Amino acid sequence: MKYVVVSGGVLSGLGKGVTASSIGVLLKAAGLRVTSIKIDPYLNSDAGTMSPFEHGEVFVLDDGGEVDLDLGNYERFLDINLSRDNNLTTGKVYSKVIEAERRGDYLGKTVQVIPHVTDAIQDWLEEVAHRPADGSDQTPDACIIELGGTVGDIESSPYVEALRQFQFRVGRENVTFVHVSLVPVMGPVGEQKTKPTQHTVKELRGLGITPDILVCRSSQPLNDETREKLAAFCHVQPEAVMSTHDVPNIYHVPLMLQEQGLCAILGVDCESTGLMDEWRTMAHHLDTLTEDVHIAMVGKYTDLSDAYLSVIKSLQHAAMAVDKNLVIDWIEASHLEKEWNTDRPEEFNHAWNLLNNADGVLVPGGFGDRGVEGKILAAHHARTNKVPYLGICLGLQVATIEFCRNVLGMKNANSTEFVDNPEQAAVVFMPEISTTHLGGTMRLGSRPTLWQVDSCKIRSLYGDGDAVDERHRHRYEVNPDLIDEIEAAGMVFVGKDESGQRCEIFELNDHPFYVGVQYHPEFKSRPHRPSPPFLGLLQAASNKS
Ligand code: GLN
């Protein structure tokens, strides 16, 4: 097993996850089986209880693990399926250590960060790295370990120490340390500054880890002088100083690293499979798309695109498949509401302008009542004007509420998530969900959806098979008591769970594309295998554009 450990310095948001995934692509292109582990040094057990404002979207895995969005990058770049254990957090390590202490495993010893926590970290990394991740039962050949946060943070120090020891446990020759840093470009002549990188490497070396490779994020390619200076001050070979400068799309990142000789430094031949050709084609294809398709995204974290990262990626995958240049028009859902017109008419008009001109409308998942009425208005607009619509999770629920209100005449239809005891409960709390604990208690992970009809648009997009496996994350569902009435009026629940009671997919009759899914298809979309609901939306939207 070869390990590539990716750490970061200076500041967060340098694209460490994309760099780490891209290194994985190069290893995979050399014919290796690659897996990955993300370390998040925070105390939470998992990302599930955190707001998207904190670290962006919560990514959901097949096993129901609610994890950091970087695992989504790994799954998409490497086309693998990871498990909850591939995201290590301090909450998880400490729970394990404390449980062992309660069992009496430490035989009377004082339990300490070193060696007990650091040993537990290393055991975890080694065990999880060996788990098959590519759908076969083969042990991976290489594991990318990404350390979240920046080196020097108090909470990441046990991990840095564990990784320092790890190189001796598995053999120095089996570990490559990659440090991602920032090279700012300053002044009128655009001088590339090396000092921040010098400092972070000094800090890392002070903790006992000497990086083998530096990856420097910069707006411009590094010049030779900067490269040599960094090599001299940071104790790396000049060839091992990589630059990740601005590129038109992220598929260029593995290519850019390959062009700078990273494969030779890693000791692999990245051209031994056809994978790099595929990446070259993909990066180029995306750069050359000219015809725009406008998708209105009606959400509530619209100034924080990381909150919808997988949805954006899925739209991108589907747009590439229909040869269109994706333009996402972000609409803050509450701006569509009437009250906004009184308070802030420009924002109201702007939001409606975007919605009116969209080729397709997407209402993504969400929690809480802010903006819900705006999302209902967006669903209404798409339904009545025959604009292609995809509702994901909450997006299915708001479209159902809209349908109950405006087609079935249930004027006060709502979800019990937003009002207590609504007069007509169109969406209700699922009986099996905990009412006391929020962490890890939703209906989570991969669950089968069984087709209820022989043919419909969304079924033909999914292709053969009696069932669809997609990942879930919700507490509420369409009220099973209303299903017959809703279906009789033309909104058909074409996919249901194994019980036949729970709605998973609806499709509206007499509409170019009006589909809601209770699951989150965005978590399984891949660059070459766009998720069927997204593809359906983009196909319908591009017929319109
Ligand atoms: N808040 C809704 C529920 O819990 C929708 C969740 C979601 O969109 N992920 O059912």
Side-chain angles (χ1 to χ4, degrees):
M1 173 73 64
K2 299 286 179 197
Y3 296 91
V4 177
V5 174
V6 182
S7 56
V10 187
L11 43 86
S12 62
L14 293 178
K16 189 154 37 100
V18 172
T19 303
S21 309
S22 300
I23 296 173
V25 170
L26 296 183
L27 297 176
K28 186 174 173 182
L32 302 183
R33 286 181 196 282
V34 186
T35 185
S36 76
I37 300 174
K38 170 80 197 287
I39 299 173
D40 280 306
Y42 47 65
L43 285 172
N44 304 58
S45 298
D46 61 37
T49 52
M50 278 188 278
S51 150
F53 280 123
E54 299 287 312
H55 298 272
E57 83 177 357
V58 177
F59 192 80
V60 181
L61 301 169
D62 277 336
D63 67 1
E66 298 172 276
V67 295
D68 183 79
L69 54 75
D70 278 322
L71 276 85
N73 282 327
Y74 290 119
E75 288 204 341
R76 287 187 287 268
F77 269 51
L78 303 174
D79 201 2
I80 52 177
N81 282 317
L82 299 170
S83 75
R84 67 178 74 236
D85 294 343
N86 291 71
N87 192 188
L88 179 55
T89 66
T90 300
K92 287 181 191 170
V93 183
Y94 272 75
S95 299
K96 210 167 171 200
V97 169
I98 291 166
E99 204 181 297
E101 183 273 330
R102 291 290 81 188
R103 265 198 316 267
D105 290 2
Y106 296 115
L107 303 174
K109 289 271 181 234
T110 306
V111 182
Q112 294 182 297
V113 174
I114 305 171
H116 302 104
V117 171
T118 46
D119 280 351
I121 293 168
Q122 294 179 71
D123 293 346
W124 188 296
L125 296 176
E126 209 173 0
E127 195 267 310
V128 175
H130 284 81
R131 291 191 198 166
D134 63 356
S136 74
D137 55 4
Q138 305 280 309
T139 306
D141 307 304
C143 179
I144 311 285
I145 301 174
E146 180 190 344
L147 176 60
T150 37
V151 166
D153 297 347
I154 287 182
E155 47 183 31
S156 64
S157 56
Y159 296 98
V160 176
E161 172 59 14
L163 291 164
R164 186 194 65 74
Q165 294 178 18
F166 198 61
Q167 61 189 314
F168 300 111
R169 181 193 283 222
V170 299
R172 182 66 184 90
E173 66 287 5
N174 295 319
V175 185
T176 304
F177 288 106
V178 179
H179 195 55
V180 180
S181 175
L182 174 73
V183 173
V185 180
M186 306 275 290
V189 287
E191 199 190 340
Q192 301 182 340
K193 293 295 200 182
T194 61
K195 198 63 106 190
T197 305
Q198 292 182 39
H199 278 296
T200 174
V201 172
K202 193 170 164 195
E203 179 140 32
L204 188 60
R205 293 184 68 204
L207 297 168
I209 293 180
T210 300
D212 301 296
I213 297 168
L214 286 184
V215 175
C216 300
R217 182 77 187 90
S218 187
S219 52
Q220 300 295 326
L222 294 189
N223 56 42
D224 290 345
E225 197 190 329
T226 311
R227 230 176 257 269
E228 264 148 39
K229 196 164 170 190
L230 283 169
F233 281 99
C234 300
H235 193 67
V236 290
Q237 300 169 28
E239 308 80 66
V241 181
M242 302 281 136
S243 121
T244 43
H245 39 272
D246 293 354
V247 279
N249 69 66
I250 58 165
Y251 302 121
H252 284 284
V253 179
L255 303 170
M256 170 162 72
L257 294 173
Q258 183 193 18
E259 280 155 21
Q260 294 175 66
L262 186 58
C263 302
I265 294 172
L266 293 169
V268 294
D269 173 10
C270 306
E271 293 295 339
S272 61
T273 63
L275 192 62
M276 294 317 287
D277 287 333
E278 279 179 36
W279 280 75
R280 271 186 284 272
T281 310
M282 204 155 65
H284 179 70
H285 184 204
L286 196 52
D287 287 345
T288 49
L289 296 172
T290 49
E291 250 180 87
D292 291 349
V293 59
H294 283 259
I295 301 295
M297 270 268 261
V298 186
K300 76 170 178 181
Y301 300 103
T302 49
D303 37 11
L304 184 83
S305 55
D306 266 6
Y308 300 113
L309 188 67
S310 296
V311 174
I312 299 171
K313 296 295 171 198
S314 305
L315 284 170
Q316 191 74 70
H317 301 159
M320 278 204 281
V322 298
D323 285 332
K324 292 279 169 158
N325 179 46
L326 173 70
V327 182
I328 298 179
D329 291 322
W330 295 94
I331 300 179
E332 187 66 36
S334 49
H335 293 187
L336 296 168
E337 295 167 7
K338 266 204 302 293
E339 295 69 39
W340 218 268
N341 196 12
T342 336
D343 299 345
R344 318 265 281 265
E346 327 74 56
E347 284 176 356
F348 174 85
N349 290 334
H350 177 65
W352 274 101
N353 214 358
L354 290 178
L355 189 63
N356 285 330
N357 288 308
D359 302 312
V361 177
L362 194 152
V363 177
F367 296 84
D369 62 358
R370 182 164 68 84
V372 161
E373 289 301 323
K375 292 176 189 177
I376 292 174
L377 290 168
H380 179 75
H381 165 85
R383 182 175 64 76
T384 51
N385 294 299
K386 302 224 184 287
V387 182
Y389 176 87
L390 176 61
I392 295 176
C393 205
L394 182 65
L396 169 142
Q397 298 172 1
V398 294
T400 308
I401 296 170
E402 189 280 319
F403 194 82
C404 289
R405 284 187 192 173
N406 299 315
V407 177
L408 300 179
M410 303 177 180
K411 289 286 169 250
N412 294 315
N414 217 321
S415 164
T416 56
E417 181 176 3
F418 314 128
V419 279
D420 294 330
N421 301 317
E423 203 176 306
Q424 288 113 356
V427 177
V428 294
F429 196 75
M430 290 184 288
E432 72 269 33
I433 305 295
S434 167
T435 49
T436 55
H437 284 64
L438 292 184
T441 57
M442 282 190 247
R443 181 167 177 258
L444 288 167
S446 190
R447 318 252 176 168
T449 294
L450 308 182
W451 294 111
Q452 309 293 309
V453 297
D454 290 333
S455 77
C456 64
K457 288 194 197 86
I458 186 75
R459 181 164 186 172
S460 58
L461 285 158
Y462 270 103
D464 297 338
D466 297 331
V468 168
D469 261 312
E470 295 273 19
R471 300 176 184 174
H472 295 71
R473 183 169 189 252
H474 65 126
R475 293 192 177 87
Y476 295 83
E477 61 172 330
V478 173
N479 186 349
D481 296 341
L482 292 182
I483 290 177
D484 288 347
E485 207 177 329
I486 296 174
E487 290 200 317
M491 182 182 261
V492 187
F493 291 97
V494 296
K496 292 190 182 159
D497 76 342
E498 312 96 308
S499 73
Q501 298 299 310
R502 183 158 283 158
C503 296
E504 291 277 11
I505 312 175
F506 76 60
E507 182 173 308
L508 192 64
N509 292 334
D510 301 326
H511 192 289
F513 189 83
Y514 196 85
V515 169
V517 288
Q518 186 58 76
Y519 50 76
H520 290 268
E522 69 269 28
F523 297 135
K524 286 176 75 165
S525 185
R526 299 284 195 267
H528 287 298
R529 284 198 310 282
S531 161
F534 286 90
L535 185 60
L537 176 71
L538 265 291
Q539 282 173 345
S542 34
N543 287 338
K544 204 176 160 288
S545 66

